[in-house]
Amino acid sequence: CSVYGLDDDELASLAKKSKEREDHLSAKAKSDAAAAKRDAEFEAAKRRAAAAVQAPAQWTLEQAEAERKLPHFKRDDAVEAMGRSVDAYVPGKIRGGPWDDGTYDIDYDDGRKDTRVVPPLIRKAAPKPGPPAPAAPMDEREAKKIERAKAEAAQLAAAER
């Protein structure tokens, strides 16, 4: 049976291509929707953060920090921040600030830089795991036990030969 002059194999091939195209468009639409949602969430977070640090002109930075309990960072503090050039929390360091408006400049570990990042978009970086703690020194009794165990193991090994 042929439709439009196409045999069954050609129809199956066209149906397969149509399905692949439909799946591709569906995946792209989902990806675009997720990206739009992330963008909207990021912009909303930036607006909330900007509103959080808005203070009357007569306030000093210290009063604003006390009032809003904003985090305080100093130069070279390891942080994770979300600024204009990034859409997720990215590790970096404080390069400058706090400025009069309470913002900070960030140098990200990947080489990007942001200026005037509001404190609600900055958080302290998770501590990096350090080297393992040194083993506690053995007391004499423990050392003698270990020596006896080694000697017994050596005697057993010699007896088995």
Side-chain angles (χ1 to χ4, degrees):
C1 168
S2 69
V3 177
Y4 300 113
L6 301 173
D7 63 19
D8 289 341
D9 290 337
E10 290 172 320
L11 283 174
S13 175
L14 284 174
K16 182 180 176 186
K17 286 180 183 177
S18 176
K19 176 70 174 145
E20 287 172 355
R21 178 71 180 154
E22 192 176 296
D23 291 345
H24 172 75
L25 291 175
S26 175
K28 182 166 177 16
K30 287 178 185 176
S31 174
D32 290 349
K37 182 179 178 186
R38 277 193 316 271
D39 290 347
E41 288 171 353
F42 176 66
E43 290 302 321
K46 282 173 58 175
R47 282 192 302 278
R48 285 192 307 273
V53 296
Q54 295 300 320
Q58 69 269 16
W59 283 13
T60 64
L61 177 60
E62 291 78 24
Q63 289 169 325
E65 286 180 68
E67 179 69 22
R68 291 190 166 58
K69 307 229 184 307
L70 294 175
H72 182 73
F73 304 102
K74 60 185 182 301
R75 186 178 183 87
D76 293 328
D77 275 356
V79 297
E80 293 176 337
M82 183 174 14
R84 285 181 297 281
S85 66
V86 292
D87 62 352
Y89 281 98
V90 176
K93 288 190 174 195
I94 298 292
R95 180 180 39 154
W99 304 118
D100 291 338
D101 58 358
T103 61
Y104 295 87
D105 296 343
I106 310 286
D107 283 343
Y108 296 103
D109 292 352
D110 62 7
R112 291 181 281 186
K113 298 174 190 259
D114 261 333
T115 58
R116 305 280 186 187
V117 178
V118 293
L121 295 179
I122 305 171
R123 62 185 182 200
K124 290 249 186 232
K128 295 181 180 167
M138 284 190 265
D139 65 6
E140 286 184 42
R141 289 189 306 176
E142 287 181 71
K144 287 181 182 178
K145 282 183 188 177
I146 292 173
E147 288 297 321
R148 274 187 267 144
K150 286 181 180 178
E152 288 176 13
Q155 286 175 352
L156 288 173
E160 289 179 3
R161 288 188 214 152

